[in-house]
Amino acid sequence: MLSSSKPTLGVISAEPEPIKLDWASTALLIIDMQRDFMEPGGFGETLGNDVSQLARAVKPIGVVLKAARDTGMLVIHTREGHLPDLSDAPPAKVERGAPSLRIGDPGPMGRILIRGEAGHDIIPELYPLDSEVVIDKPGKGAFYATELTDVLEKYGIENLLVCGVTTEVCVNTTVREANDRGYRCVVMSDGCASYFPEFHEMGLKMIKAQGGIFGWVADSAAVLEAMKTSTTQG
Ligand code: TIU
């Protein structure tokens, strides 16, 4: 699909309105599908959350990830986490609340939310290929203190298909950052999940309200359909 020099366009049936994208300037951005958020014993569970709430996003992401790989779309994965010496972890984040284990403490999947530990890694079902980009981020947003802007500029990316966890935290923060930087974001509704189903619903509503104040929302079927029915212009 991306081999032609002419633009290959797809129209996604999104809310609040359909959006036409040139696939060559579109990347799939998968936010924080890490064991630390998805599995028992990780950061998410230490905060008191029911991690089983997030499992529903895995299959829809997997289907779109396969389609993106088949068509040569740029795929970017992110991971939230910190250096082993915690030098990039603000005390305000580490000391917050009363989790069962704090960031950096030893847990069943290694030290909680620390780069290089088993819990920090991406779940096997969505594991990055060597050719794909992996962005390590210390914050909730994928732009803060990362090389993401440089990567998007290098590949000429103007549009982001965004999915991952959690809808109202790292997905929403990243979409807001991206929107302010001029990227069109289409958020995959069934490819995101929250520990709180009501926050998932509201997180998506916040993005698409007011004429799409932060971006567009579409389900994985709509994204796949747009990829399948693309047209070459010119
Ligand atoms: N706690 C929670 O909902 N999310 C995070 O801490 N990070 C991400 O969303 N990745």
Side-chain angles (χ1 to χ4, degrees), residues 5-137:
S5 57
K6 296 169 184 165
T8 303
L9 306 174
V11 180
I12 303 178
S13 293
E15 292 182 301
E17 61 189 7
I19 177 169
K20 187 187 274 189
L21 298 179
D22 176 358
W23 297 119
S25 57
T26 302
L28 176 63
L29 179 61
I30 306 177
I31 303 291
D32 298 0
M33 291 300 289
Q34 296 162 254
R35 299 183 64 194
D36 251 321
F37 296 104
M38 306 295 297
E39 295 184 17
F43 179 62
E45 193 176 74
T46 68
L47 299 175
N49 295 308
D50 170 10
V51 296
S52 70
Q53 289 290 340
L54 305 189
R56 67 191 70 177
V58 175
K59 261 198 192 149
I61 297 175
V63 173
V64 173
L65 176 59
K66 182 180 183 310
R69 285 172 173 167
D70 288 348
T71 58
M73 183 182 289
L74 178 68
V75 177
I76 304 171
H77 306 255
T78 70
R79 299 185 297 205
E80 180 179 347
H82 297 284
L83 297 168
D85 65 2
L86 296 182
S87 57
D88 61 351
K93 180 176 182 182
V94 178
E95 294 164 1
R96 188 165 314 181
S100 58
L101 293 171
R102 288 193 189 276
I103 295 169
D105 284 350
M109 294 190 285
R111 294 177 66 200
I112 298 292
L113 214 59
I114 297 296
R115 293 185 194 175
E117 301 287 346
H120 179 262
D121 215 346
I122 291 172
I123 59 170
E125 299 94 313
L126 304 175
Y127 209 77
L129 301 178
D130 287 344
S131 57
E132 293 170 352
V133 178
V134 178
I135 301 277
D136 279 314
K137 63 189 189 59

Side-chain angles (χ1 to χ4, degrees), residues 24 92 176:
R176 289 166 192 238

Side-chain angles (χ1 to χ4, degrees), residues 31-32 34 37 43-44 47 49 80 137 140 165-171 195-196:
I31 303 291
D32 298 0
Q34 296 162 254
F37 296 104
F43 179 62
L47 299 175
N49 295 308
E80 180 179 347
K137 63 189 189 59
K140 303 306 182 193
V165 297
T166 60
T167 315
E168 80 282 13
V169 182
C170 290
V171 172
Y195 300 118
F196 307 89

